Amino acid sequence: MKKAAVEKAAQEKAAQEKTLHDQEEAAKKKAAEEAKKKADEDAAAAAAKKHADEEAAKKKKDQEEAEAKKKAEEEAAAKKLAQEEEAKKHATHSEVQIKPDPKFLDGEQAKQDTVQHHQQAAEEAHEIEPEHDIKVGSHLAKPEELLGFPLFPEGTKSLLKKHLTKEVWDALKNTKDKHGFTFKQAIFSGCKNTDSGIGVYAGSHDSYTAFDALFSKIIEQYHGHKKEDVHHSDMDYTKLNCPPFTEKEAKRIKSTRIRVGRNLKDYPLGPGLSKEQRKEIESKVVTALSSFSGELAGKYYSLSSLSETERKQLIDDHFLFKEGDRFLEACGLNREWPDARGIFHNNEKSFLVWVNEEDQLRIISMQQGPDIGAVFTRLSKACAHIETVASFAHDKHLGYITSCPTNLGTALRASVHIHLPNLGQSKAEFQAIADQYHVQIRGAHREHTETNDHVYDISNTRRLGRSEVDLVQDMYNGVKAMIQKEFEIKPKKEKPQVAAPVEESNKEEIPHQEVKIEEKKEEKPAEQLKQIEHKAQSDKVDHKEAPHDHEVQKHESLVVGSHLKQATDLVSFPTFPAGTKSLLSKYLTPEIWAKLHDDKDKHGYTFKQAIFSGCQNTDSGIGVYAGSHDSYTVFADLFDKIIEKYHGHQKGAKHVSDMDYSKLQCPPFQENEAAFIKSTRIRVGRNLADYPLGPGLTKEQRKEVEQKVVAAVNSFEGELAGKYYALTSLTEEERKQLIEDHFLFKEGDRFLEACGLNREWPDARGIFHNNEKSFLVWVNEEDQLRIISMQQGADIGAVFTRLSKACTHIETVAKFAHDEHLGYITSCPTNLGTALRASVHIHLPKLGALKEEFQAIADKFHVQIRGIHGEHTETDDHVYDISNKRRLGFSEVSLIQDMYNGVKAMIEKELTL
């Protein structure tokens, strides 16, 4: 027994030793495998690095060889040209056209050198010095005299002068559009007439493409219409909402007139037409006009064959137009005058077409009295009929194509002559209403005229980016508001006035009751620049708008302000104090109030709640908040206008979201570039699809939102893993640490308080951050999720990748509120679309001192410059916060690309200074 026990113990010991041995061997084997794996990985990495270094060296060598080859070719070509120049010294002027031997030239270099050679030879043949800057002005006789970069006299204010840089000149000076209209022809009017407001004309539809480097800048400056923007045309008169004025209102309106300019798509524009093409156009248009029936039926009068009786009658009717002014003369529009020009009018003399004036068709509808709908209907039907014979030039970006860029889009001017003796004496109130409805006030006797009889010409100010229906609606709404205000004002005693002397016009004036002579944009540079400034101002949220003083019949009003305590205090139409600039005060009309004041969205959030913050806080920039996704539908009459004004995003426009970080083109900055960037931060706002937005949440719903979000963030792994801190249960140590990390958010300000976002504070609010403190989520702040990715340094790609992955993961637990029109849904309309802000803190001591150049780069890349301590702050250390400006209508990827490109350009500029 004892022996057996000993043997058993020995066997057990041997088994244990074997097990230990096996474990040791396994561990050694695993260690060896891991060492081998690491060695293999190191070898692979070394091989990859070696390969990359070899590729880089090869690429560098190839580049150096290519540059050396190119330099040798240039030297050979230059030597050859020098030899030819020496030979030409002994040649006569008629023998200077010597061509370089093509064997010395290659590809684009050959083409460029050949062009330079011919240009130089031509200069010598005419005894002209090689290209140099030239002073422009009235001494110029033809476009060919623009032999060097144009230098404009001091005080020139044209957009041509502003945007024609040497780079643009060098790129375009020898170009022409597909119809042969040259760049020099396009700019000649503005070079000869340096008092132009714009200074350029297009010779064809293709001019806007061929000369895009200049024209697109002018168009964006004048119209606020960017290269990627779309123009929607709409001449459907059935969409116009202009019920008849009351009898009392109608008496104020003397006459109504609406015109459009159009050109035929199969031909160049007026400045680029040949004599034969102009005749073909006349023939086609006359065919269309002669087929009119009913109220449009009438007669065409050719200017080249008018009888004396017809001429006198057209003058009496104020229908006759004369040869174009010096601006049109310089661009080529007066050639072969008056050949192939003419006038059509209907039998009732309420419809008129000028043929081959500034544009190929100037189509005009007019009549006595206030029936705006009838005037637009007549115009719309006429345009549709003409297009059955000849289609108009049009594209999705620029709308209807015109020779002068100021008329692009609609080429529409809708106007009335209106008698406003009381409002006419209150200029500030008058102008405020005009600004609110995007209309312009003029004297009734042409632009820039004053009026002693208080009869004013009221017309739309916008052309491009809004449909014809929209612009006529603007005019109708503005006129309606002006008449209502006129009735509110008590008459003032006027001082006796002496009649102003009548100035003789250079045109046969057409009075408004028939047709007012069309304004020439180029003839009134002062007015154009005024409109440019007006447009620039109108794109800002704080644009001066009308103090909503409506006390309309059947609508009592309530003066709003900080004395209001709750939304139910809004018992009648809100009247805003003078100086209020919010978009709420701009767009909340008595009609919208009457329609919506008792409405609520499907979650019970009321219209009065939606507007209360802006009514209590009259210094708001916007003034409204949505209580749910459905608020944007139920309160669309107000919200749509605010969204379009703030974002330029129209009712039918779509928003495409894209958080795919792989599409971002942001290679690492070079070491000397990266040194300028201190930190990078990107955030988005998101709300859950199954719940109201913050202002409309119940206490229970807010807790449910918190639970869902916490479940998502607690399931993060890897670099996103971290901890959630509920504000209601923070320890003092946690609170201090969050403050030190600058992660803690406070209760919302008075604007958020007023819309209901601070209710039950701080219940169901909290903060999540990852362990590395490079990722953060605020829960139930202004939006239900404020998701933030950030880190020190310049790696924009890494910051966006982290953010994108986090958003995707959260949506596996709870979907975000989103639709195709507004993108991601947020409580404040300003954040709709992406709710994204991508920014860096960057040190730019040299560029920061050059504010105009700094701002020019920012504008080019759609980014904003701020001091690093928040909006409106200045900086003494030249460290700036650079972020995207746009939100809605552009994807997340495109906005971050904007920021990257802008920062890259700023650094490159800094390094050159």
Side-chain angles (χ1 to χ4, degrees), residues 615-686:
C615 290
Q616 185 183 64
N617 302 287
T618 57
D619 57 340
S620 298
I622 305 298
V624 299
Y625 288 88
S628 76
H629 192 160
D630 188 53
S631 294
Y632 288 104
T633 301
V634 177
F635 310 143
D637 286 358
L638 176 63
F639 275 62
D640 283 351
K641 292 180 173 65
I642 289 174
I643 291 166
E644 182 173 348
K645 175 67 175 177
Y646 186 83
H647 294 284
H649 193 73
Q650 296 180 338
K651 192 172 183 179
K654 287 190 175 182
H655 175 89
V656 179
S657 299
D658 191 352
M659 290 282 287
D660 185 351
Y661 56 86
S662 68
K663 295 180 181 178
L664 198 61
Q665 299 296 316
C666 56
F669 291 96
Q670 296 177 13
E671 186 174 349
N672 65 329
E673 295 175 326
F676 287 100
I677 300 175
K678 307 303 180 185
S679 61
T680 304
R681 177 181 181 274
I682 307 174
R683 65 86 168 159
V684 293
R686 296 291 185 261

Side-chain angles (χ1 to χ4, degrees), residues 200-310:
V200 299
Y201 287 88
S204 75
H205 192 160
D206 186 59
S207 295
Y208 289 103
T209 301
F211 313 143
D212 173 74
L214 174 64
F215 275 55
S216 62
K217 293 182 175 67
I218 289 174
I219 290 165
E220 182 171 349
Q221 168 85 57
Y222 186 85
H223 294 283
H225 193 75
K226 298 181 176 63
K227 283 184 72 170
E228 64 274 17
D229 288 346
V230 174
H231 175 87
H232 297 285
S233 299
D234 192 351
M235 290 283 287
D236 185 352
Y237 56 87
T238 65
K239 295 180 181 178
L240 197 61
N241 182 22
C242 55
F245 292 93
T246 65
E247 184 176 353
K248 183 181 178 182
E249 293 171 334
K251 289 179 180 179
R252 295 287 172 183
I253 300 175
K254 307 303 179 184
S255 59
T256 302
R257 172 184 178 273
I258 307 175
R259 66 84 169 160
V260 292
R262 296 291 186 262
N263 294 276
L264 303 193
K265 75 171 185 179
D266 296 327
Y267 294 88
L269 300 171
L273 283 174
S274 67
K275 183 176 181 179
E276 293 69 30
Q277 287 171 326
R278 192 182 299 108
K279 287 183 177 179
E280 288 177 22
I281 287 170
E282 181 188 35
S283 178
K284 285 192 175 186
V285 173
V286 170
T287 298
L289 301 177
S290 298
S291 63
F292 279 141
S293 59
E295 74 162 336
L296 292 174
K299 182 179 177 181
Y300 179 73
Y301 301 85
S302 171
L303 296 195
S304 59
S305 59
L306 283 178
S307 69
E308 190 57 30
T309 301
E310 289 171 336

Side-chain angles (χ1 to χ4, degrees), residues 117-374:
H117 173 77
H118 282 298
Q119 184 178 10
Q120 190 172 19
E123 288 169 350
E124 290 178 1
H126 295 88
E127 299 183 338
I128 297 175
E129 294 293 327
E131 179 174 310
H132 56 277
D133 296 349
I134 66 166
K135 292 181 180 180
V136 297
S138 58
H139 62 279
L140 295 173
K142 54 187 177 180
E144 292 77 11
E145 292 177 5
L146 295 174
L147 296 173
F149 178 72
L151 294 178
F152 293 85
E154 186 175 353
T156 301
K157 299 177 181 179
S158 69
L159 295 192
L160 169 63
K161 189 259 184 183
K162 177 174 182 179
H163 294 293
L164 181 60
T165 62
K166 285 203 172 184
E167 292 76 15
V168 171
W169 168 258
D170 288 338
L172 299 180
K173 63 185 178 183
N174 293 319
T175 60
K176 59 180 69 175
D177 66 25
K178 68 181 183 181
H179 293 279
F181 191 79
T182 69
F183 179 68
K184 292 178 181 178
Q185 286 177 290
I187 67 172
F188 183 68
S189 184
C191 290
K192 182 178 178 66
N193 303 290
T194 57
D195 57 343
S196 297
I198 304 300
V200 299
Y201 287 88
S204 75
H205 192 160
D206 186 59
S207 295
Y208 289 103
T209 301
F211 313 143
D212 173 74
L214 174 64
F215 275 55
S216 62
K217 293 182 175 67
I218 289 174
I219 290 165
E220 182 171 349
Q221 168 85 57
Y222 186 85
H223 294 283
H225 193 75
K226 298 181 176 63
K227 283 184 72 170
E228 64 274 17
D229 288 346
V230 174
H231 175 87
H232 297 285
S233 299
D234 192 351
M235 290 283 287
D236 185 352
Y237 56 87
T238 65
K239 295 180 181 178
L240 197 61
N241 182 22
C242 55
F245 292 93
T246 65
E247 184 176 353
K248 183 181 178 182
E249 293 171 334
K251 289 179 180 179
R252 295 287 172 183
I253 300 175
K254 307 303 179 184
S255 59
T256 302
R257 172 184 178 273
I258 307 175
R259 66 84 169 160
V260 292
R262 296 291 186 262
N263 294 276
L264 303 193
K265 75 171 185 179
D266 296 327
Y267 294 88
L269 300 171
L273 283 174
S274 67
K275 183 176 181 179
E276 293 69 30
Q277 287 171 326
R278 192 182 299 108
K279 287 183 177 179
E280 288 177 22
I281 287 170
E282 181 188 35
S283 178
K284 285 192 175 186
V285 173
V286 170
T287 298
L289 301 177
S290 298
S291 63
F292 279 141
S293 59
E295 74 162 336
L296 292 174
K299 182 179 177 181
Y300 179 73
Y301 301 85
S302 171
L303 296 195
S304 59
S305 59
L306 283 178
S307 69
E308 190 57 30
T309 301
E310 289 171 336
R311 183 180 302 277
K312 286 181 178 179
Q313 187 59 56
L314 289 172
I315 292 172
D316 288 343
D317 292 332
H318 304 282
F319 287 179
L320 191 64
F321 64 90
K322 287 188 174 182
E323 190 173 5
D325 56 28
R326 57 190 169 91
F327 302 93
L328 301 186
E329 172 70 30
C331 76
L333 268 163
N334 287 347
R335 290 168 300 123
E336 296 93 35
W337 179 271
D339 186 62
R341 277 89 169 178
I343 297 161
F344 172 92
H345 69 75
N346 66 345
N347 298 326
E348 289 78 21
K349 299 185 179 180
S350 61
F351 177 73
L352 184 73
V353 180
W354 288 344
V355 179
N356 284 323
E357 192 240 10
E358 178 175 340
D359 288 306
Q360 292 158 14
L361 295 93
R362 184 61 55 92
I363 309 168
I364 307 160
S365 177
M366 66 274 183
Q367 67 186 50
Q368 296 294 305
D371 198 340
I372 295 170

Side-chain angles (χ1 to χ4, degrees), residues 682-723:
I682 307 174
R683 65 86 168 159
V684 293
R686 296 291 185 261
N687 293 277
L688 302 193
D690 297 330
Y691 293 89
L693 300 171
L697 282 173
T698 64
K699 183 177 181 178
E700 292 70 27
Q701 288 171 327
R702 191 182 299 107
K703 287 182 177 179
E704 290 177 20
V705 168
E706 181 189 35
Q707 290 169 1
K708 288 195 173 187
V709 174
V710 170
V713 298
N714 282 343
S715 63
F716 280 139
E717 297 177 349
E719 72 162 342
L720 292 174
K723 181 179 178 181

